Amino acid sequence: MDNYDVDYECVKDFIKMIINDESANCLIDNGNYPDLKIIEPDGNVIKKVQLLSLQEQFKNKSFLNNKMIYVIKEAEKLNDFSGNTILKFLEEPEEDIIAFLLTTNRYKIIETILSRCQRFDYKRVSNENIVKRLKYICEQEKIKIEDDALFEIA
């Protein structure tokens, strides 16, 4: 599993909170939610035609909910043409459209795109901190568990 897959798993959880519909969660997990579109690089770049297709799809209203969501994985691979295309989408956002741009290097994203986004930086949590938190939860719940088991869980 690469960084984008890990980031996407976090984003999926966030999307579930936004949609707030238990019946949609399974569709999201299985990649079958009709109002969620994933854009990945075609080769080494995200092409303008991919984003034009996305914009065309998003002209319609939501199928299941009141939100349409798209995720661009490896957003640093937007070239000038595709960057300008997505910029137009970001500059005049529809109220019911939400975008997630995933990157491991925000410095490679066009500055005008960054200026129109709210940024969330995710950092890995160390195993030691996970174990500490699990130990605290176990203590609060009066569950006896060995440290080795907690490290295995982490």
Side-chain angles (χ1 to χ4, degrees):
M1 189 177 281
D2 67 19
N3 286 341
Y4 296 104
D5 292 330
V6 171
D7 291 344
Y8 180 62
E9 290 303 313
C10 293
V11 168
K12 276 197 323 191
D13 290 339
F14 196 61
I15 290 169
K16 290 178 197 175
M17 288 188 289
I18 291 169
I19 293 179
N20 195 22
D21 179 354
E22 281 297 317
S23 62
N25 288 352
C26 186
L27 293 172
I28 292 167
D29 285 335
N30 294 327
N32 295 321
Y33 191 74
D35 297 326
L36 173 61
K37 304 297 179 198
I38 310 300
I39 304 293
E40 296 185 76
D42 183 3
N44 288 329
V45 296
I46 296 170
K47 297 179 179 172
K48 180 178 178 176
V49 69
Q50 291 174 274
L51 300 175
L52 291 173
S53 172
L54 174 75
Q55 289 173 338
E56 190 63 35
Q57 292 174 35
F58 274 44
K59 285 182 181 176
N60 303 316
K61 288 293 175 193
S62 171
F63 286 108
L64 299 178
N65 217 303
N66 61 347
K67 300 288 181 199
M68 297 185 73
I69 301 166
Y70 64 94
V71 177
I72 298 178
K73 290 185 176 181
E74 300 184 59
E76 70 275 8
K77 292 187 177 178
L78 290 163
N79 63 22
D80 288 340
F81 299 115
S82 57
N84 286 330
T85 302
I86 200 66
L87 189 57
K88 291 175 187 168
F89 212 31
L90 293 170
E91 285 177 333
E92 300 168 12
E94 297 287 331
E95 190 173 308
D96 59 345
I97 296 177
I98 299 171
F100 291 91
L101 281 66
L102 305 182
T103 184
T104 57
N105 190 346
R106 70 179 180 94
Y107 299 104
K108 288 187 175 181
I109 295 180
I110 301 168
E111 187 61 39
T112 50
I113 291 175
L114 285 176
S115 70
R116 285 154 179 81
C117 297
Q118 182 175 4
R119 197 176 87 226
F120 297 93
D121 293 322
Y122 293 98
K123 295 183 172 94
R124 289 196 186 273
V125 178
S126 70
N127 282 352
E128 289 78 20
N129 284 337
I130 293 172
V131 167
K132 250 190 243 181
R133 184 66 181 166
L134 289 172
K135 189 181 267 189
Y136 171 78
I137 292 168
C138 289
E139 288 169 0
Q140 296 301 307
E141 297 295 324
K142 296 178 180 32
I143 298 171
K144 294 184 188 224
I145 189 167
E146 300 204 13
D147 286 353
D148 288 345
L150 294 175
F151 273 100
E152 198 63 35
I153 293 168

